[in-house]
Amino acid sequence: MSNHLGSICDVKGDKISFFMKKDANLSFGQIVRVDSGGRSFYARVVNAQSKSTLETGEQLREAEGKETFGPYSCYKNIEAILFLEKRAGKVRSPTFNPNYMDKVFQTTQEDSAVLKLGGELQIGNFRSGESMLGNVGIDSDAIPRMLGMFGMTGSGKTNTELIVNAQLIDHSPQTAGLIFDFAGQLLEGKELFNVGLRDHPLFHSKVCFYSTKAGKMRVGLRTLRPEKLRNLFSDITDPQYRLAQKIYGQLGEEWIEKVCEVWERNGPAGVTKLVSAHKGTINALMQKLTHLNPALFPPSPYSFIDDVIENISQGVTCLVDISGITAEEQHRIVCLTASGVANHYKREWERNYERWQLLPTLLITLEEAHEFLDPARERTIFSSIALTYRKYRVGLNAVTPRPSRINPDVFAELWTKVIMKTELKADRDYLTKNTPYLEYSDTELKMLDIGEALLISEPKIRFAVPVKVVHYADYLKTREKVDYRLPPSKTFEVMGKKLKQLQNAGKSLGNS
Ligand SMILES: Nc1ncnc2c1ncn2[C@@H]1O[C@H](COP(=O)(O)OP(=O)(O)OP(=O)(O)O)[C@@H](O)[C@H]1O
Ligand SMILES: [Mg+2]
């Protein structure tokens, strides 16, 4: 038997009010159950008022200590919104509402099972007041239906990203992640977490790390065909793009290196000799090409993106650390990589459906998503992914503290939303206006604690579930170390002997 919270005193449409028992405990957003005859209803607490049976004048005189009145009753009146009904074992949207004096209860583990919150990619626990009930997770089907994680600085977004990606790694090779780490904190966790993806027990077999520091992140100029320029330079115009195609037609694979040489030697006149074009267009395109950072874009046929594609196809999650380079370069690397990987999925779907079926379902995690999904900007690879890549099983996880700066068309496509503490009014208004089932949660959004979230994951979870996201360090504690079955390494003594033998053999070869 769950805790009795109170009894219904008023019902109108999907709004119910109940008197709360004196010793009961409740919080905004909490989910309660109302038993009504053969049905149970589930409702979310949206408002609370304290009142007494005294009239205003009497209350005032009592407050000022002028008179005492009595006996009178004080009561707490709670408002809640119905969102589900359970009848004969079936759960659906409410078809009716409860009756006067029906009893209201705190939700239990059993209710958590009824609400079917435990998806395979577990992210936390169902919060019911102070208690933590069953697991809450999303299904892998939710990945291509796109995700969004929102919350102000310090609300726990990065932790949630770590948890979701740890789950993708655990479910490899059915799922894989591609993560862009702008702050360079996901590998080691830095001082915020002290643990990162490097501490995941499957890190050595299921994760690949790329960073500019180790020189592993290079995109050879010879891999850049003109069509990729749209991802490299968001402001490229159609005439500049057509000019790039003409130059590529003339010079082939090494077109960027060669045209830059010509430009350095003979300026615009040299390029005009190669292809005919307006001088302004040539200048604008050449400004772009000559300013590519040679450390990231060397003249070679190697691109780390091919390696990323290969790894992801095998179910290996790729962590791309783009800290330490300029914002412009970050933008270039992120767009090029995401488009390379997403287009691989598209191409396989179009040309080799059987091979495509073997690809893991992919989730691309993008922090600072507002920079790439701004309504004022032209369509980017990320808006295309969110709007059209569902059928290829490529999902986007847009993470941002500023949801109101995300294009509303894209926002509507993010069917799974993890909403954390948000104080800014503009963002709360945007979230509550544009997210179904959140219209009464404005107050709740600013009252959430670190790591607390509201989760909506359509079509499976059609209401805002209060969740406490598992802390990544605690998740790691529940994971056992993985035995890679490697043979024990030899002792230094044995290795030293072998080295000496090799040195001696080398010397004798040198003498002969
Ligand atoms: N579920 C949680 N339980 C306990 N502590 C948490 C939880 N989630 C995050 N924290 C702690 O809160 C702090 C901030 O978390 P996090 O870095 O994830 O926030 P953020 O939203 O990504 O912030 P920013 O916008 O600055 O990147 C960290 O110290 C982290 O350890
Ligand atoms: Mg963060």
Side-chain angles (χ1 to χ4, degrees), residues 339-351:
S339 74
V341 177
N343 285 329
H344 175 72
Y345 272 69
K346 182 170 187 267
R347 258 195 323 270
E348 292 290 80
W349 189 85
E350 285 163 354
R351 297 186 197 160

Side-chain angles (χ1 to χ4, degrees), residues 152-159 192-193 450-451 468-471:
M152 57 193 278
T153 298
S155 57
K157 298 180 296 299
T158 302
N159 180 65
L192 279 177
F193 300 92
I450 293 175
K468 167 83 182 159
V469 180
V470 179
H471 194 247

Side-chain angles (χ1 to χ4, degrees), residues 15 85 136 153 221 256 295 315 353 375 393 427-428 444 459 508:
K15 286 199 180 83
E85 169 186 314
V136 178
T153 298
L221 289 180
I256 300 183
Y353 191 75
R393 280 188 296 116
D427 288 321
R428 273 188 290 129
E444 206 184 333
S508 59

Side-chain angles (χ1 to χ4, degrees), residues 3 13 15 37 70 89 91 97 103 152 164 180 210 224 250 257-258 279 299 306 374 420 476 491 505:
N3 291 341
K15 286 199 180 83
V91 179
N97 52 21
K103 285 186 170 164
M152 57 193 278
V164 168
F180 295 108
Y210 301 87
L224 294 178
Q250 286 282 326
E257 294 154 70
K258 286 184 176 163
K279 202 171 156 195
D306 297 330
D374 194 322
M420 314 197 82
L476 286 180
T491 60

Side-chain angles (χ1 to χ4, degrees), residues 132-428:
M132 296 299 151
L133 303 179
N135 285 324
V136 178
I138 54 172
D139 281 334
S140 53
D141 294 359
I143 296 174
R145 294 199 175 100
M146 313 298 157
L147 278 76
M149 291 179 183
F150 315 110
M152 57 193 278
T153 298
S155 57
K157 298 180 296 299
T158 302
N159 180 65
T160 315
E161 275 168 60
L162 277 168
I163 288 290
V164 168
N165 281 287
Q167 292 288 327
L168 297 179
I169 297 167
D170 288 340
H171 288 80
S172 164
Q174 280 74 41
T175 54
L178 168 61
I179 316 157
F180 295 108
D181 183 4
F182 286 73
Q185 64 177 162
L186 294 180
L187 181 71
E188 295 170 357
K190 294 260 170 85
E191 73 281 2
L192 279 177
F193 300 92
N194 292 320
V195 280
L197 283 183
R198 198 181 56 178
D199 302 286
H200 192 287
L202 295 173
F203 178 77
H204 297 289
S205 53
K206 297 285 179 200
V207 184
C208 193
F209 176 63
Y210 301 87
S211 108
T212 45
K213 284 149 213 152
K216 255 172 108 180
M217 197 186 290
R218 280 174 284 123
V219 181
L221 289 180
R222 289 174 212 165
T223 64
L224 294 178
R225 299 273 163 90
E227 53 276 15
K228 293 200 180 157
L229 295 193
R230 292 208 193 271
N231 289 311
L232 266 183
F233 309 108
S234 53
D235 58 343
I236 193 162
T237 60
D238 284 342
Q240 289 166 27
Y241 174 61
R242 281 195 295 275
L243 171 62
Q245 279 178 317
K246 275 193 211 165
I247 302 174
Y248 175 73
Q250 286 282 326
L251 302 176
E253 202 186 41
E254 294 170 23
W255 68 287
I256 300 183
E257 294 154 70
K258 286 184 176 163
V259 78
C260 288
E261 267 170 41
V262 172
W263 174 260
E264 235 161 64
R265 242 185 296 124
N266 304 325
V271 181
T272 324
K273 267 191 202 157
L274 273 177
V275 284
S276 61
H278 195 270
K279 202 171 156 195
T281 313
I282 295 179
N283 282 345
L285 178 67
M286 291 314 297
Q287 280 300 326
K288 291 186 168 75
L289 295 180
T290 49
H291 279 89
L292 285 173
N293 177 355
L296 292 174
F297 300 96
S300 89
Y302 167 82
S303 169
F304 87 101
I305 298 170
D306 297 330
D307 199 52
V308 170
I309 294 173
E310 181 65 33
N311 274 319
I312 287 178
S313 306
Q314 312 283 331
V316 174
T317 289
C318 292
L319 173 59
V320 182
D321 178 347
I322 44 167
S323 60
I325 54 176
T326 66
E328 228 174 25
E329 285 162 358
Q330 287 182 332
H331 206 280
R332 286 185 186 139
I333 294 287
V334 166
C335 290
L336 267 182
T337 315
S339 74
V341 177
N343 285 329
H344 175 72
Y345 272 69
K346 182 170 187 267
R347 258 195 323 270
E348 292 290 80
W349 189 85
E350 285 163 354
R351 297 186 197 160
N352 198 333
Y353 191 75
E354 270 154 29
R355 224 166 46 198
W356 171 83
Q357 284 176 314
L358 299 176
L359 288 173
T361 300
L362 173 67
L363 181 68
I364 305 179
T365 296
L366 177 72
E367 287 202 347
E368 313 296 337
H370 55 276
E371 297 284 345
F372 298 84
L373 298 167
D374 194 322
R377 287 204 176 194
E378 289 233 347
R379 210 172 153 138
T380 63
I381 177 64
F382 292 104
S383 50
S384 300
I385 291 175
L387 297 170
T388 58
Y389 275 63
R390 175 167 303 180
K391 66 170 177 282
Y392 311 124
R393 280 188 296 116
V394 175
L396 173 69
N397 178 18
V399 184
T400 173
R402 299 301 322 275
S404 61
R405 286 180 52 199
I406 288 196
N407 183 337
D409 294 338
V410 171
F411 192 82
E413 290 300 320
L414 311 174
W415 282 23
T416 295
K417 294 190 178 90
V418 181
I419 299 165
M420 314 197 82
K421 184 181 171 81
T422 306
E423 276 181 357
L424 209 62
K425 179 111 179 53
D427 288 321
R428 273 188 290 129

